[in-house]
Amino acid sequence: TYLINQAIVKKDVERIAQSARKIADHAKLKKSEMVKLIKVLRSEMVSFKRADKRVRDLASRLEEAANDNDLDKAKQLQSAMQNECMACHASFQNRVAKILHGPVIVD
């Protein structure tokens, strides 16, 4: 979202659209990773998937706004998407990282 913020300031609609598309198309979890998450998150998987869908949808809409050269709409969508990203990360990032990558070891 940092690159999108910079692009909005510069009114670079091409970069907004490109960056939004990357977010909309960000990698989906492999089946093995999904199985691990389901085992740990259980009932929270619905919220996790819903958050991912909201971010992807907002990113797609942001790309459309940029392609339409509608910077006001792009700003609104960027703000909404960033809020969704932050909320999801606050709720899930540490647990998901531990589930998928194991505990982080700091020297």
Side-chain angles (χ1 to χ4, degrees):
T1 61
Y2 175 77
L3 293 176
I4 295 173
N5 289 339
Q6 283 186 321
I8 286 173
V9 168
K10 294 178 181 179
K11 299 180 181 180
D12 184 346
V13 292
E14 285 183 36
R15 177 152 293 174
I16 295 168
Q18 290 170 354
S19 297
R21 176 54 31 210
K22 286 180 182 178
I23 292 170
D25 291 341
H26 71 268
K28 292 188 177 191
L29 295 172
K30 297 175 190 167
K31 187 174 181 176
S32 61
E33 294 171 327
M34 190 63 79
V35 168
K36 288 179 185 179
L37 283 180
I38 290 169
K39 286 180 183 178
V40 176
L41 296 179
R42 297 182 184 246
S43 64
E44 290 181 283
M45 274 306 290
V46 172
S47 295
F48 181 76
K49 285 183 171 184
R50 193 175 297 141
D52 183 61
K53 182 175 179 356
R54 281 193 304 261
V55 168
R56 289 175 190 276
D57 290 347
L58 284 164
S60 292
R61 291 173 52 205
L62 175 57
E63 178 187 24
E64 289 173 19
N67 287 334
D68 291 342
N69 207 22
D70 188 342
L71 283 173
D72 289 333
K73 181 84 169 179
K75 289 175 190 176
Q76 293 170 350
L77 291 165
Q78 167 61 357
S79 178
M81 184 181 69
Q82 195 164 0
N83 288 339
E84 288 292 335
C85 288
M86 297 302 290
C88 184
H89 283 220
S91 295
F92 298 107
Q93 185 178 29
N94 290 337
R95 290 183 293 157
V96 169
K98 285 180 186 175
I99 294 164
L100 298 180
H101 308 295
V104 176
I105 299 170
V106 179
D107 290 334

